[in-house]
């Protein structure tokens, strides 16, 4: 019988401190770890911390080394809590990695923010997996360490790289030996020059599905601090319900609208090979959580609420009150692409065109400047985009009665969206 591998992915919240790492070991003890590839994110909020480091490097270099020291102390404290003895080698790995990073800061003269970002922020994953691997070895697990950059091959579109699928599949099959288990990183890869690249924020889930697809895995489990996929984000809604079953296409729709549980790119590779995805709680590993698989109806069938905060609503109208036609719209989209704007909602009438965008790369001002040459532009920053899938009147009232002003409303038979301020 051919044994199929399982893929486990643990996010930052699951390994935010020493207790989290101990709990990860506990989960593996309960679920078994044989023939499993374990992908781990940076610890806690370390990705944010490394992002701050990049900002200091570009904007306030005197603070770079001070901030790097606080990152070192954070990881050293976790090491001290996890290892009674045998901590010399893992402490040395920490020192060596951070020495490499310091060397990069001293030697790099790159002005390319996204390039520097990927070289620096990727250390969050490198450090977390180094510590976790060492801990699991000390606990007696027969497990190997794998640098994901040897497998995940991408182009050089830094911060949101595109995968070279053929080469990646080849490399993964070459690196993974039958009958072994591995600890590796989510989120990171490398380009053809060997520079580190990243797959976009929350890209660790995508990494898990890349490994699953390449190895025809049995299944993928994403371990989270929630019981599974909920019908609303508990940070914004007090009453949430667990969705026990959803189809790939339903999950893709929810992810597209911004549900933060599953990364949008994660689902397509799994769907192509019919690999089920489980979203489970690392606090209650024996609970069923959510199963995402081929076309099963959403269970239970209830409205699903998604909020995307901090969006920007642009309302464009022609300077001479002429119609906004296909040619104008294609010009607008060309500019949105040029300035790396993620479009989340569009609406047009005869003389106006509204678009809700995510200013992820901070290029809004440049975009507006160019749009102003051809259109009258109205800008509303810090708006919230509310999406409700499978809505009913009660769900609509819930959004309409939250005391915010509605700037835009749009509905289809399945989905209603509101932009509020």
């Amino acid at each position: 019988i051919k044994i199929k591998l399982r893929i486990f992915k643990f996010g930052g919240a699951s390994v935010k401190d020493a207790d989290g790492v101990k709990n990860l070991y506990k989960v593996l003890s309960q679920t078994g770890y044989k023939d499993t590839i374990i992908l781990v994110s940076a610890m806690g909020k370390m990705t944010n911390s490394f992002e701050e480091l990049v900002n200091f490097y570009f904007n306030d270099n005197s603070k770079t080394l001070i901030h790097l020291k606080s990152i070192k102390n954070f990881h050293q404290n976790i090491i001290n809590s996890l290892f009674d003895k045998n901590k010399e080698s893992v402490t040395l790995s920490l020192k060596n990695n951070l020495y490499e990073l310091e060397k990069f800061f001293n030697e790099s003269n790159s002005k390319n923010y996204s390039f520097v970002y990927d070289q620096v922020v990727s250390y969050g994953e490198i450090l977390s997996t180094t510590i976790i691997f060492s801990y699991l070895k000390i606990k007696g697990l027969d497990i190997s360490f794998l640098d994901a950059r040897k497998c995940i091959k991408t182009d050089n579109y830094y911060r949101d790289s595109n995968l070279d699928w053929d080469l990646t599949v080849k490399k993964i099959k070459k690196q993974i030996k039958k009958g072994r288990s591995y600890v590796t990183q989510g989120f990171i890869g490398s380009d053809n020059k060997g520079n580190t690249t990243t797959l976009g924020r929350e890209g660790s889930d995508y990494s898990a599905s890349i490994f699953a697809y390449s190895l025809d895995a049995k299944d993928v489990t994403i371990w989270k601090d929630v019981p599974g996929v909920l019908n609303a984000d508990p940070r914004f809604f007090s009453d949430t319900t667990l969705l026990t079953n959803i189809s790939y296409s339903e999950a893709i729709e929810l992810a597209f609208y911004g549900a933060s549980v599953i990364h949008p790119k994660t689902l397509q590779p799994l769907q192509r090979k019919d690999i089920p995805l489980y979203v489970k709680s690392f606090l209650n590993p024996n609970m069923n959580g959510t199963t995402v698989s081929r076309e099963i109806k959403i269970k239970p069938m209830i409205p699903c609420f998604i909020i995307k905060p901090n969006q920007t609503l642009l309302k464009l109208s022609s300077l001479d009150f002429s119609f906004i036609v296909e040619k104008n719209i294609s010009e607008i989209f060309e500019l949105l692409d040029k300035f790396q704007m993620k479009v989340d909602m569009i609406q047009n009438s005869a003389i106006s065109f509204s678009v809700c965008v995510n200013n992820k790369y901070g290029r809004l001002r440049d975009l507006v400047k160019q749009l102003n040459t051809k259109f009258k532009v109205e800008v509303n920053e810090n708006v919230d985009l509310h999406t409700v899938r499978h809505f009913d009147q009660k769900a609509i009232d819930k959004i309409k009665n939250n005391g915010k002003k509605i700037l835009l409303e749009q509905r289809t038979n399945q989905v209603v969206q509101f932009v509020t301020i």
Side-chain angles (χ1 to χ4, degrees):
I1 302 162
K2 193 182 170 199
I3 293 169
K4 285 199 160 195
L5 286 159
R6 298 176 308 165
I7 313 292
F8 280 2
K9 181 256 164 173
F10 289 90
S14 64
V15 290
K16 66 178 192 284
D17 52 25
D19 286 341
V21 178
K22 289 174 184 171
N23 187 63
L24 182 149
Y25 167 69
K26 199 170 123 192
V27 171
L28 295 179
S29 307
Q30 287 180 22
T31 58
Y33 75 96
K34 294 280 186 218
D35 300 299
T36 305
I37 295 175
I38 300 144
L39 289 95
V40 188
S41 300
M43 293 176 146
K45 297 282 180 212
M46 268 298 120
T47 299
N48 296 359
S49 202
F50 277 101
E51 284 178 340
E52 277 177 59
L53 190 62
V54 177
N55 287 334
F56 284 138
Y57 172 72
F58 278 104
N59 304 316
D60 192 354
N61 206 359
S62 61
K63 290 186 179 156
T64 307
L65 290 181
I66 300 163
H67 191 65
L68 190 59
K69 194 156 195 253
S70 76
I71 287 173
K72 183 189 173 187
N73 292 342
F74 171 84
H75 289 95
Q76 187 63 57
N77 288 338
I78 289 178
I79 291 171
N80 294 345
S81 305
L82 287 175
F83 301 86
D84 302 329
K85 41 189 191 299
N86 323 80
K87 69 173 159 197
E88 288 72 25
S89 66
V90 66
T91 298
L92 187 63
S93 296
L94 174 70
K95 275 186 183 149
N96 289 342
N97 276 308
L98 292 176
Y99 171 71
E100 272 174 35
L101 183 51
E102 211 174 307
K103 198 166 146 215
F104 171 77
F105 283 138
N106 291 332
E107 292 174 6
S108 169
N109 49 10
S110 175
K111 298 283 178 279
N112 180 340
Y113 185 92
S114 294
F115 168 76
V116 172
Y117 179 100
D118 278 7
Q119 309 322 300
V120 173
V121 173
S122 52
Y123 274 91
E125 272 64 22
I126 303 291
L127 297 179
S128 74
T129 48
T130 303
I131 293 168
I132 287 160
F133 170 69
S134 303
Y135 181 72
L136 296 178
K137 287 294 277 185
I138 271 182
K139 284 301 208 179
L141 300 199
D142 180 15
I143 205 158
S144 305
F145 184 84
L146 173 66
D147 188 331
R149 294 172 294 187
K150 289 181 179 167
C151 302
I152 307 288
K153 304 306 282 183
T154 71
D155 64 6
N156 60 1
Y157 191 88
Y158 298 108
R159 283 183 77 188
D160 212 347
S161 296
N162 303 293
L163 201 68
D164 179 335
W165 271 104
D166 293 342
L167 187 55
T168 296
V169 170
K170 234 182 248 166
K171 295 273 187 192
I172 287 177
K173 285 183 168 167
K174 192 180 163 196
Q175 292 285 339
I176 300 296
K177 303 281 179 271
K178 277 197 176 79
R180 298 219 43 76
S181 296
Y182 293 85
V183 170
T184 189
Q185 305 80 25
F187 179 59
I188 69 173
S190 65
D191 64 16
N192 60 6
K193 288 187 175 160
N195 292 317
T196 303
T197 56
T198 66
L199 302 172
R201 279 303 293 259
E202 310 303 325
S204 297
D205 295 358
Y206 183 35
S207 300
S209 79
I210 294 166
F211 273 97
Y213 178 91
S214 305
L215 296 162
D216 292 313
K218 181 182 164 195
D219 50 44
V220 174
T221 305
I222 295 175
W223 296 97
K224 295 188 82 75
D225 54 356
V226 286
V229 179
L230 303 170
N231 77 319
D233 188 330
R235 288 174 303 177
F236 301 115
F237 293 89
S238 52
D239 49 339
T240 57
T241 304
L242 175 71
L243 305 173
T244 56
N245 293 82
I246 45 179
S247 65
Y248 296 118
S249 52
E250 181 69 49
I252 286 167
E253 289 283 355
L254 289 171
F256 171 77
Y257 288 116
S260 60
V261 175
I262 303 167
H263 190 270
K265 287 182 187 169
T266 302
L267 296 148
Q268 283 108 340
L270 301 179
Q271 186 176 18
R272 273 188 296 191
K273 290 210 174 168
D274 228 341
I275 298 167
L277 169 69
Y278 302 109
V279 181
K280 296 173 122 181
S281 162
F282 58 73
L283 300 170
N284 298 297
N286 296 322
M287 276 171 60
N288 287 333
T290 302
T291 303
V292 184
S293 56
R294 193 154 293 289
E295 304 311 315
I296 36 172
K297 284 271 186 284
I298 183 169
K299 265 187 24 210
M301 177 57 88
I302 51 170
C304 297
F305 297 85
I306 300 149
I307 295 184
K308 277 190 169 181
N310 309 320
Q311 305 292 296
T312 302
L313 181 66
L314 302 174
K315 190 179 177 192
L316 316 178
S317 45
S318 52
L319 296 168
D320 58 0
F321 293 100
S322 60
F323 290 163
I324 288 201
V325 291
E326 293 79 2
K327 188 173 182 297
N328 308 117
I329 292 171
S330 88
E331 281 175 355
I332 294 164
F333 269 96
E334 225 164 88
L335 288 172
L336 289 167
D337 178 53
K338 182 184 170 185
F339 292 103
Q340 295 173 289
M341 291 292 163
K342 167 101 170 60
V343 175
D344 286 318
M345 181 186 182
I346 52 174
Q347 194 172 84
N348 65 304
S349 67
I351 56 167
S352 77
F353 182 88
S354 296
V355 58
C356 192
V357 296
N358 179 0
N359 182 26
K360 178 180 171 182
Y361 293 94
R363 302 181 69 184
L364 180 68
R365 199 163 292 164
D366 301 334
L367 169 69
V368 171
K369 198 172 161 186
Q370 277 218 247
L371 287 170
N372 269 325
T373 61
K374 296 196 173 178
F375 305 95
K376 180 171 172 256
V377 186
E378 212 180 289
V379 183
N380 280 292
E381 291 188 66
N382 298 320
V383 299
D384 293 338
L385 174 61
H386 296 260
T387 304
V388 189
R389 242 178 105 67
H390 313 297
F391 64 89
D392 53 21
Q393 193 53 46
K394 197 175 153 197
I396 289 174
D397 294 342
K398 194 172 186 170
I399 306 293
K400 283 192 163 176
N401 301 333
N402 70 359
K404 292 201 166 185
K405 184 182 170 192
I406 292 172
L407 300 176
L408 204 62
E409 180 177 335
Q410 194 174 75
R411 67 171 76 187
T412 63
N413 61 347
Q414 290 264 344
V415 174
V416 62
Q417 290 187 293
F418 299 95
V419 178
T420 67
I421 193 161

